Amino acid sequence: DIQMTQSPSSLSASVGDRVNITCRASQRIGDYLIWYRQKPGKAPQVLIYGASRLQTGVPSRFSGSGSGTEFTLTITNLQPEDYAVYYCQQTDIFPVLTFGPGTRVDIK
Amino acid sequence: EMQLVQTGAEVKKPGESLRISCTASGYIFTAYWIAWVRQMPGKGLEWMGRIDPIDSYTEYSPSFQGHVSISADKSVNTAYLQWTSLKASDTATYFCARVHTSSWREHDYWGQGTLVTVSS
């Protein structure tokens, strides 16, 4: 099975900061990479699909980049509602559309 | 409005059976897959498997194959996740999600989650 890793596993940041989260795949997955945000007690929400495409309705402070095996989610001008856990997911290789282990973003 | 509505919380004993449901509305049910995702308490997301409601073709993660069963009834726009013999380690929140098959397979709409507690 393909393995997904994320770094860092957690970070602390202030409102207005720029945050970068990295996701790596153990095999090449092209641009079949999705980023989600999960707020406490809620279902995950798609932020970015196709590695760099902004989901409809998601604020433009979120952006994604990368292809192949290394990907980055960038949040500029961090807002209070962005304190959450962020997951990447590869959607290229079956039978498991694997999630990364998550990155927790806390208030500094 | 697009919605996936899941069964309410369940409390079961080890060895019991259970089926939870995910009912879709606001879109053509057979045009998208449904995936199931497990989240154990305080842990991350685990992809369990998916079903194509048009023909009920399923794929399972090897981690869950043989322990759960995914099915769908397109006449009532509902997908199901079923266990025949629950274990305490099945205690988790289970989410269903719509999979956008004509795009990058993003899981673009999610149910609210069903908390399953298995305890003697």
Side-chain angles (χ1 to χ4, degrees), chain B:
Chain B
E1 181 193 0
M2 228 301 302
Q3 270 193 310
L4 294 174
V5 177
Q6 296 186 228
T7 310
E10 299 272 3
V11 180
K12 292 290 193 178
K13 290 180 166 45
E16 291 187 332
S17 63
L18 175 66
R19 187 176 77 166
I20 61 175
S21 66
C22 169
T23 300
S25 61
Y27 74 96
I28 298 171
F29 184 59
T30 52
Y32 301 82
W33 301 343
I34 294 288
W36 286 94
V37 175
R38 183 174 79 174
Q39 188 164 41
M40 299 178 78
K43 302 298 185 182
L45 304 172
E46 299 174 271
W47 198 83
M48 301 175 70
R50 65 94 177 177
I51 188 164
D52 186 343
I54 200 166
D55 60 6
S56 288
Y57 178 80
T58 54
E59 275 184 291
Y60 294 91
S61 163
S63 298
F64 294 94
Q65 178 95 45
H67 186 54
V68 299
S69 176
I70 297 172
S71 60
D73 183 344
K74 59 188 176 185
S75 70
V76 291
N77 290 352
T78 300
Y80 303 96
L81 180 65
Q82 184 169 346
W83 295 260
T84 56
S85 181
L86 286 159
K87 305 174 184 178
S89 57
D90 292 318
T91 295
T93 296
Y94 294 86
F95 293 100
C96 64
R98 187 182 85 163
V99 182
H100 206 297
T101 53
S102 60
S103 184
W104 276 262
R105 304 189 194 109
E106 63 272 26
H107 297 26
D108 61 353
Y109 284 92
W110 293 65
Q112 81 277 19
T114 297
L115 175 61
V116 175
T117 303
V118 184
S119 174
S120 53

Side-chain angles (χ1 to χ4, degrees), chain A residues 2-21:
Chain A
I2 189 168
Q3 307 301 317
M4 305 297 291
T5 59
Q6 287 182 234
S7 60
S9 57
S10 65
L11 63 91
S12 295
S14 300
V15 171
D17 281 356
R18 176 187 178 103
V19 167
N20 287 311
I21 299 170

Side-chain angles (χ1 to χ4, degrees), chain A:
Chain A
D1 288 350
I2 189 168
Q3 307 301 317
M4 305 297 291
T5 59
Q6 287 182 234
S7 60
S9 57
S10 65
L11 63 91
S12 295
S14 300
V15 171
D17 281 356
R18 176 187 178 103
V19 167
N20 287 311
I21 299 170
T22 298
C23 174
R24 291 185 175 87
S26 61
Q27 302 174 44
R28 296 185 65 84
I29 57 171
D31 61 357
Y32 278 80
L33 193 285
I34 317 299
W35 287 101
Y36 300 88
R37 176 179 66 183
Q38 186 180 30
K39 298 178 183 178
K42 300 294 186 182
Q45 172 196 9
V46 174
L47 301 173
I48 301 289
Y49 66 95
S52 62
R53 296 157 177 83
L54 190 68
Q55 177 75 346
T56 302
V58 173
S60 59
R61 64 180 182 271
F62 293 95
S63 63
S65 63
S67 68
T69 61
E70 187 160 332
F71 304 87
T72 301
L73 173 70
T74 299
I75 313 170
T76 56
N77 188 22
L78 194 72
Q79 294 298 297
E81 61 266 32
D82 299 332
Y83 292 100
V85 181
Y86 293 82
Y87 295 94
C88 61
Q89 182 194 24
Q90 71 83 16
T91 57
D92 184 38
I93 297 172
F94 287 88
V96 188
L97 301 186
T98 321
F99 290 97
T103 295
R104 182 178 302 276
V105 177
D106 291 325
I107 300 172
K108 190 171 187 180

